[in-house]
Amino acid sequence: MPDDGRKAVASNRSLPRFIWPEDGLTRIPDWVYTSHEIYEREVARIFHGRTWNYVALEAEIPRPGDFKRSFVGPTAVVVAREQDGTIHVFENRCAHRGSEFCRAHRGSATEFVCPYHQWTYDLSGNLIGVPFRRGVKGEGGMPKDFRLEDHGLRSLAVTTRNGVVFASFAADMESLEDYLGPEILADFDATFDGRKLKLLGYYRNTVPANWKMYHENLKDPYHATLLHAYLVTFGLLVAGNKSAMIVDARGRHGTMASARGDDGPKVDQASKREMRAFHEDMKLNDPRILDYVKEFDSPWSVTMQTIWPNMVVQRELNTLGTRQIVPHGPNAFTMVWTMFGYADDSEAMTRHRLRQGNLMGPAGFLGLEDNEAMKFVQDGLRKSMPGEAIVELGGTDEGTTAKLISEAAIRSMYRYWRDVMEL
Amino acid sequence: MAMLAGFARSAVDPRLARELRAEIEEFHAEYCAALDENRLEDWVSFFTPDAVYRITSRENAEAELPVGLVYCEGAGMLRDRALAIAKTAMFAPRYLQHQVGNIRVLGVSGDGIVSAQANYLLFQTLVDEKTTIHQVGRYFDRFVRAGARVLLRERHCVYDSVLLDNSLVLPV
């Protein structure tokens, strides 16, 4: 945890205003999403605490010397590959005066030089040079006992699994496998099965909503058939399809999973009646966007994984991507989408993934609606008398469920969150 | 510097370039009017049946990464997007205004395909919010002649604005 005295005080003092509603986890008070004090405690205890944070795909930094800018929570870091292939993650903050020295999204380097006073670091973040360290003609310079090795960049613990890179400010984290748990690991490994990944590109957008709403949206199968008319109109989601909302034992991660029947997309009569926006006569001119090429060792054709605290793994049919949540205070976050395929994809398969990409992303048929809806919620919370959300679908159930019309996974997340936050 | 492969500038007779620029300027004005007036089904009529349409960041374009915020191969996909946005999508009401300038004719190939570039600004106005510059970008276009007008066979909308504000609902 960073030894920032001010933040430590804010994160530990008692917060008497923040009393959870008596109804327990079926209610979520507004301050969870809007309070700056709560946000500061989240940064200290969650993003800087005992979590593995997604920072990169190895395919982004394939060669020694390759680096990328990234974030752990709101904190800027650099992910760099050393000459021996090892991956290092360190703060993007010069040890001297604090300048954010790495300004490029990605690149390749033999060392990092802070442009302000040219303090120089190697690819592991060690300080290797301070200009005029001995002064000029014996005058000035650093004290004799200033040791370069004591002033490297703050390094994070790093772990990788099948091409995905995670970092933690906690030095003694459990393994990523234990952190994810077997239920989540199974679907993570279906997407990241060890095949080399091929980078297809990025989307970057800001969402004017609290960062947790993105997790909640993907732990809320209820919204999928209602908000996303596209899904039902074109038969991507049918009430009778096999589906599940899978939650790990601690309640923090999730997998929203569904399986399409072998006969392709089918329009569901029952859901149509419930949906106001359904259009009976709509047909796609180019239905290739809904093709599904079976390529995964998984019963599911769609898995949307929320990996606490900052990652989403998107496997929507054949369009694949990671999403990194970078919070900016309680009311906004940046989303970095990294879209990929596999290195052995044919040209036709790559183009299929690109076409299907129209479903997701901040201009995607589903993606844009999620962003719009989250903005509506944050606006609602900010511009009204304080209130609380009703999270009562499925009663008080928590954990994994096969029911679509349930908010059990959101309740699980808040049981875990309240524990970590001591609220 | 052309940053998309195949859009390098070649010699074009200045008189021909002026004629084409006038025609392309008229095209942009009508194209933008269709979008700004929310005539999405008309928007499709500015493309050839085999058109490629992509909106992507400058970061992706410069790294030759192929994804698009929107990626369409063929008029069928364009029509599907127009219909899906018009009929199924949920989004906040908004006004959009496109401004296009700095039109450059980059080249004319033997079979009459005109490569061109133009800068665009996209302004967005949401209810109870100030007007914002939603995107600053460049069109990389290939036009073909279809009778009295030109049509897009290829349009890449390459935007500088790194962070998209929330969502991009309508085409650019």
Side-chain angles (χ1 to χ4, degrees):
Chain A
M1 203 176 289
D3 50 6
D4 176 330
R6 187 183 56 82
K7 276 189 191 151
V9 170
S11 80
N12 288 321
R13 71 165 177 256
S14 71
L15 302 172
R17 292 196 294 117
F18 302 115
I19 308 292
W20 198 274
E22 282 176 11
D23 291 335
L25 293 166
T26 60
R27 296 291 182 274
I28 303 173
D30 288 359
W31 47 259
V32 159
Y33 306 101
T34 55
S35 159
H36 287 266
E37 284 167 282
I38 294 294
Y39 172 73
E40 282 198 9
R41 185 178 280 199
E42 287 178 331
V43 172
R45 295 196 178 189
I46 296 171
F47 295 107
H48 292 170
R50 298 196 57 80
T51 50
W52 280 118
N53 291 263
Y54 166 69
V55 290
L57 294 176
E58 289 201 56
E60 297 175 274
I61 47 165
R63 288 168 301 274
D66 287 351
F67 68 86
K68 78 168 268 203
R69 268 170 74 88
S70 189
F71 292 89
V72 170
T75 306
V77 299
V78 177
V79 184
R81 192 185 285 277
E82 215 189 327
Q83 291 308 325
D84 67 359
T86 325
I87 295 171
H88 294 270
V89 179
F90 38 81
E91 266 197 296
N92 190 354
R93 176 203 157 103
C94 180
H96 178 212
R97 298 298 306 273
S99 123
E100 191 185 292
F101 57 87
C102 175
R103 312 299 295 191
H105 281 134
R106 289 183 297 143
S108 197
T110 52
E111 59 189 18
F112 293 99
V113 183
C114 176
Y116 196 1
H117 305 93
Q118 294 173 23
W119 284 34
T120 302
Y121 304 91
D122 67 16
L123 294 167
S124 338
N126 298 309
L127 179 62
I128 53 172
V130 172
F132 298 112
R133 188 175 159 199
R134 303 283 172 235
V136 175
K137 294 179 182 164
E139 309 255 321
M142 280 292 186
K144 277 210 172 57
D145 61 354
F146 180 85
R147 290 158 46 89
L148 295 184
E149 49 270 45
D150 294 340
H151 297 278
L153 301 168
R154 188 198 305 279
S155 282
L156 285 76
V158 178
T159 192
T160 63
R161 185 171 177 88
N162 293 340
V164 189
V165 187
F166 295 84
S168 179
F169 276 103
D172 56 345
M173 275 297 289
E174 67 262 36
S175 71
L176 179 74
E177 292 70 22
D178 287 346
Y179 179 72
L180 295 180
E183 308 89 343
I184 300 300
L185 199 58
D187 291 302
F188 185 87
D189 284 352
T191 307
F192 301 107
D193 60 1
R195 275 190 284 172
K196 268 202 146 100
L197 305 183
K198 177 175 165 185
L199 192 60
L200 297 180
Y202 300 94
Y203 314 137
R204 299 173 193 272
N205 65 298
T206 54
V207 181
N210 184 270
W211 65 276
K212 296 186 292 303
M213 279 186 202
Y214 213 91
H215 286 267
E216 292 171 44
N217 187 57
L218 290 172
K219 294 176 191 293
D220 162 23
Y222 178 51
H223 90 280
T225 55
L226 297 165
L227 175 62
H228 301 311
Y230 188 96
L231 278 178
V232 177
T233 303
F234 300 118
L236 273 175
L237 195 68
V238 181
N241 277 0
K242 194 179 163 216
S243 59
M245 184 65 236
I246 300 161
V247 178
D248 76 308
R250 303 287 305 275
R252 54 194 170 183
H253 315 301
T255 304
M256 193 192 284
S258 60
R260 190 162 91 183
D262 286 334
D263 46 351
K266 216 195 286 179
V267 177
D268 170 30
Q269 299 303 323
S271 296
K272 274 199 293 194
R273 281 192 298 274
E274 291 282 325
M275 288 197 42
R276 301 164 66 92
F278 184 77
H279 289 266
E280 188 69 62
D281 51 347
M282 274 189 70
K283 283 206 172 55
L284 291 172
N285 291 284
D286 189 343
R288 289 180 299 174
I289 189 169
L290 304 183
D291 288 352
Y292 178 47
V293 180
K294 278 196 173 170
E295 57 173 337
F296 304 102
D297 181 16
S298 167
W300 310 114
S301 50
V302 175
T303 56
M304 302 297 295
Q305 295 201 283
T306 37
I307 310 281
W308 187 261
N310 77 333
M311 184 190 202
V312 173
V313 182
Q314 165 195 321
R315 176 163 79 77
E316 173 80 32
L317 305 174
N318 301 112
T319 176
L320 310 174
T322 62
R323 302 178 201 166
Q324 183 186 24
I325 299 168
V326 183
H328 304 296
N331 295 307
F333 60 92
T334 291
M335 185 64 89
V336 182
W337 308 60
T338 307
M339 309 306 293
F340 62 88
Y342 300 101
D344 57 4
D345 283 348
S346 66
E347 168 69 17
M349 189 64 184
T350 297
R351 284 167 62 150
H352 171 53
R353 294 194 204 283
L354 296 173
R355 287 191 302 267
Q356 206 155 61
N358 285 287
L359 296 174
M360 291 297 182
F365 298 129
L366 315 181
L368 78 87
E369 293 178 319
D370 289 327
N371 294 4
E372 290 287 307
M374 279 180 264
K375 178 181 160 88
F376 287 12
V377 174
Q378 196 77 19
D379 280 351
L381 303 185
R382 291 168 68 188
K383 300 178 195 170
S384 58
M385 294 289 283
E388 51 198 38
I390 303 167
V391 187
E392 213 167 340
L393 288 165
T396 56
D397 290 357
E398 290 173 47
T400 296
T401 174
K403 293 187 285 254
L404 278 176
I405 312 302
S406 169
E407 291 162 331
I410 298 177
R411 288 188 288 274
S412 295
M413 184 182 110
Y414 277 100
R415 181 173 297 285
Y416 173 76
W417 184 88
R418 288 180 63 187
D419 182 40
V420 173
M421 295 287 285
E422 291 183 81
L423 286 164
Chain B
M1 186 187 74
M3 61 185 114
L4 286 187
F7 280 91
R9 186 157 200 176
S10 66
V12 182
D13 173 73
R15 264 183 311 183
L16 177 61
R18 271 195 294 278
E19 267 173 43
L20 288 169
R21 191 179 300 117
E23 194 169 11
I24 290 168
E25 187 173 8
E26 189 180 310
F27 176 94
H28 284 306
E30 293 308 314
Y31 178 98
C32 294
L35 288 179
D36 294 348
E37 291 164 12
N38 213 4
R39 290 184 276 114
L40 275 178
E41 288 182 43
D42 284 355
W43 167 70
V44 181
S45 71
F46 290 88
F47 294 86
T48 63
D50 60 348
V52 170
Y53 175 80
R54 178 169 77 126
I55 307 173
T56 203
S57 66
R58 187 163 173 168
E59 176 190 10
N60 290 328
E62 288 182 342
E64 295 186 356
L65 294 168
V67 295
L69 282 178
V70 177
Y71 175 96
C72 295
E73 290 176 0
M77 283 191 78
L78 291 164
R79 197 165 292 119
D80 289 341
R81 176 161 278 272
L83 278 172
I85 297 298
K87 299 271 168 65
T88 74
M90 189 293 289
F91 52 90
R94 63 200 63 208
Y95 298 134
L96 291 170
Q97 194 175 120
H98 295 69
Q99 297 286 339
V100 178
N102 301 37
I103 298 163
R104 301 168 71 209
V105 176
L106 299 178
V108 182
S109 73
D111 49 1
I113 296 173
V114 178
S115 313
Q117 207 185 76
N119 292 357
Y120 69 83
L121 279 170
L122 173 59
F123 297 95
Q124 178 169 280
T125 310
L126 299 170
V127 172
D128 280 343
E129 293 189 26
K130 285 180 185 164
T131 299
T132 57
I133 298 175
H134 200 52
Q135 268 195 3
V136 179
R138 259 196 277 183
Y139 290 127
F140 290 84
D141 295 330
R142 283 189 220 282
F143 293 97
V144 295
R145 183 156 295 290
R149 58 192 292 220
V150 291
L151 295 176
L152 282 169
R153 175 176 281 179
E154 199 175 328
R155 164 157 279 188
H156 300 269
C157 315
V158 178
Y159 59 91
D160 291 355
S161 354
V162 174
L163 291 176
L164 180 73
D165 180 12
N166 206 28
S167 54
L168 181 76
V169 174
L170 295 157
V172 178

